[in-house]
């Protein structure tokens, strides 16, 4: 039995020398000292020995046990040290290494343009109103005094969703909504998306953006319209630009006009941007038609107003000299990132 003890000790030493992980070492511990371990079993079988043999053997077995325990303890300790050193090596941070670059997004040129237009009007006391892109035919046409035979209602121009529902063809229905929801004084602009059945080419897109404006109060005149829009043009395109108003027709305004600005690129001499004319058409506007005010139950004897609407893509194309509207929708970062 003494021999057996010596063998166990010898084997333990050899195995522990080879063991390279904590799990392996733990397995060795269980095999030797666990409940069914070899040493435990030998100690258990001591009962069969004679009393005088038992004493000596007990001593020897205990000293082997203590020695093995000591060996195990040392092994565990050195393996843990090793583990720590390995972690220090693998998790080492090189503080001189350059950081990971992550690129920041940029605002889309259409968003930049809407923001600029909005900032100018907000500085003049306009607030922002919003309306849905899916609109009623009533708000998009009837409420805006576009009679039942108005050409813009045509199926070939408008995306109809169902009998009375469409994708708005302009931001003007926000006028109707605001007039119904609010009492004068009303002073809002409304930027947003619009949709028309247009085939995409360099100047057309079935989806585009407009900014609508509406100002209704007591005593509003054409002079307010001109003053406001002239100031807007100067703030957006530069203090030197001049404006002129040409008579036009819109169903929802009477009288109606289009506003041109003197070319901010060439100063009016004629260039590529203004196509040689010295003037650039910027927006439609007019005095709100009484029929439109009536939709909001507004007293047309007491209140008058002006309205305007402009195409955002057109303004962005002019300002940034972009010659194809489709570039705005391709999401090519090389294009978009130029407008910071
Ligand atoms: N809704 C018009 C369009 O899409 C633009 C417009 C013109 C809006 C005159 C207005 C306005 O509010 O007064 O062409």
């Amino acid at each position: 039995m003494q021999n057996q003890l010596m063998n166990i000790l010898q084997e333990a030493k050899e195995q522990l020398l080879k063991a390279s992980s904590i799990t392996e070492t733990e397995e060795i511990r269980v095999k030797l000292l666990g409940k069914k371990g070899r040493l435990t079993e030998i100690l258990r079988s001591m009962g069969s020995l004679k009393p005088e043999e038992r004493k000596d053997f007990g001593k020897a077995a205990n000293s082997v046990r203590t020695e093995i325990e000591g060996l195990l303890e040392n092994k565990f300790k050195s393996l843990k040290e090793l583990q720590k050193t390995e972690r220090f090596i693998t998790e080492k941070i090189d503080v001189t290494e350059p950081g990971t670059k992550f690129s920041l997004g940029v605002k889309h040129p259409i968003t930049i343009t809407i923001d600029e237009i909005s900032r100018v009007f907000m500085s003049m006391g306009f607030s922002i109103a919003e309306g849905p892109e899916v609109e009623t035919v009533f708000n998009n046409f009837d409420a805006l005094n576009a009679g039942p035979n108005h050409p813009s209602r045509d199926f070939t121009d408008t995306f109809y969703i169902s009998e009375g529902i469409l994708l708005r063809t302009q931001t003007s229905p926000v006028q109707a909504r605001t007039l119904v929801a609010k009492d004068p004084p009303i002073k809002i602009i409304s930027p947003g998306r619009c949709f028309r059945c247009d085939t995409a080419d360099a100047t057309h897109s079935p989806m585009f953006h407009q900014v609508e404006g509406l100002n209704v109060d007591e005593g509003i005149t054409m002079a307010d319209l001109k003053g406001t829009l002239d100031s807007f043009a100067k703030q957006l395109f530069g203090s030197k630009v001049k404006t002129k108003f040409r008579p036009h027709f819109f169903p929802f305004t009477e009288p109606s006009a289009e506003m041109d600005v003197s070319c901010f690129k060439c100063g009016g001499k004629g260039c590529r941007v203004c196509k040689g004319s010295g003037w650039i058409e910027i927006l439609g506007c007019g005095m709100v038609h009484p029929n439109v005010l009536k939709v909001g139950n507004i007293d047309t004897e007491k209140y008058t107003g002006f309205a305007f609407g402009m195409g955002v893509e057109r303004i962005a194309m002019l300002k940034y000299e972009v010659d194809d509207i489709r570039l705005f929708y391709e999401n090519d970062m090389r294009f978009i990132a130029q407008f910071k």
Side-chain angles (χ1 to χ4, degrees):
M1 271 181 114
Q2 289 281 1
N3 272 351
Q4 241 177 310
L5 276 180
M6 284 309 119
N7 281 347
I8 291 177
L9 183 59
Q10 188 56 34
E11 270 175 47
K13 281 182 181 164
E14 280 167 19
Q15 285 179 10
L16 283 176
L17 206 62
K18 274 191 246 156
S20 61
S21 73
I22 290 182
T23 348
E24 237 176 288
T25 314
E26 175 60 15
E27 274 165 17
I28 296 170
R29 191 193 66 80
V30 173
K31 268 191 214 148
L32 295 170
L33 307 179
K35 261 195 215 152
K36 288 181 183 160
R38 284 171 66 195
L39 197 62
T40 321
E41 274 178 357
I42 287 181
L43 285 167
R44 220 178 269 144
S45 66
M46 259 169 51
S48 62
L49 293 176
K50 286 181 212 130
E52 63 271 23
E53 282 174 341
R54 204 182 295 163
K55 199 179 159 203
D56 280 349
F57 183 77
K59 240 188 188 172
N62 268 332
S63 90
V64 168
R65 188 196 174 92
T66 318
E67 191 169 351
I68 292 180
E69 277 172 350
L71 289 172
L72 281 164
E73 197 184 317
N74 285 343
K75 185 73 187 179
F76 277 126
K77 226 198 229 161
S78 68
L79 282 173
K80 275 186 190 150
E81 270 309 309
L82 200 70
Q83 221 176 29
K84 211 158 85 181
T85 324
E86 270 170 14
R87 264 188 57 195
F88 279 145
I89 293 167
T90 54
E91 292 176 17
K92 191 171 76 175
I93 298 170
D94 178 0
V95 289
T96 63
E97 203 176 296
T100 333
K101 263 197 187 162
F102 49 95
S103 58
L104 277 182
V106 293
K107 277 194 180 177
H108 191 280
I110 295 299
T111 308
I112 295 175
T113 310
I114 289 177
D115 286 352
E116 276 179 16
I117 296 169
S118 303
R119 190 158 18 87
V120 171
F121 281 111
M122 285 194 300
S123 77
M124 295 194 271
F126 286 77
S127 53
I128 310 261
E130 281 188 74
E133 289 163 14
V134 177
E135 252 301 359
T136 60
V137 172
F138 180 81
N139 281 337
N140 196 80
F141 293 125
D142 304 83
L144 298 170
N145 200 38
N149 294 320
H150 196 273
S152 60
R153 287 181 182 248
D154 207 319
F155 282 100
T156 55
D157 293 331
T158 303
F159 291 112
Y160 285 92
I161 287 180
S162 61
E163 180 78 11
I165 306 288
L166 44 65
L167 292 183
R168 66 178 177 190
T169 61
Q170 46 189 355
T171 43
S172 306
V174 183
Q175 286 192 37
R177 288 178 172 270
T178 309
L179 289 168
V180 169
K182 287 206 172 102
D183 293 327
I186 291 170
K187 203 170 181 186
I188 58 109
I189 57 162
S190 185
R193 239 174 235 153
C194 308
F195 306 85
R196 282 179 206 176
C197 286
D198 276 326
T199 309
D201 63 23
T203 51
H204 294 87
S205 161
M207 187 281 295
F208 56 97
H209 299 75
Q210 288 187 337
V211 176
E212 192 75 18
L214 177 66
N215 187 183
V216 178
D217 202 348
E218 281 181 63
I220 296 274
T221 69
M222 195 87 183
D224 297 297
L225 176 156
K226 290 180 79 173
T228 304
L229 295 178
D230 181 76
S231 167
F232 159 71
K234 288 184 163 59
Q235 289 184 65
L236 196 70
F237 296 111
S239 54
K240 288 203 184 81
V241 301
K242 289 192 238 96
T243 53
K244 76 175 176 194
F245 292 81
R246 280 180 289 102
H248 201 76
F249 174 83
F250 296 107
F252 32 85
T253 43
E254 181 59 38
S256 305
E258 276 187 335
M259 181 179 86
D260 296 344
V261 297
S262 58
C263 182
F264 49 84
K265 186 80 188 163
C266 66
K269 287 197 286 288
C271 68
R272 209 174 71 96
V273 174
C274 59
K275 301 210 174 78
S277 75
W279 292 94
I280 301 169
E281 180 219 316
I282 290 298
L283 52 80
C285 56
M287 299 305 290
V288 182
H289 197 292
N291 288 352
V292 177
L293 292 176
K294 276 179 202 149
V295 172
N297 262 330
I298 287 169
D299 182 350
T300 51
E301 292 299 315
K302 192 170 171 195
Y303 295 107
T304 48
F306 69 84
F308 56 89
M310 65 193 87
V312 179
E313 277 79 354
R314 184 173 157 73
I315 292 179
M317 286 171 83
L318 289 165
K319 270 199 87 159
Y320 298 122
E321 291 184 56
V322 172
D323 53 14
D324 195 323
I325 196 171
R326 290 168 293 194
L327 287 166
F328 289 129
Y329 314 117
E330 284 170 357
N331 285 336
D332 184 336
M333 285 307 290
R334 289 169 303 178
F335 173 74
I336 292 174
Q338 294 178 71
F339 303 92
K340 275 172 227 166

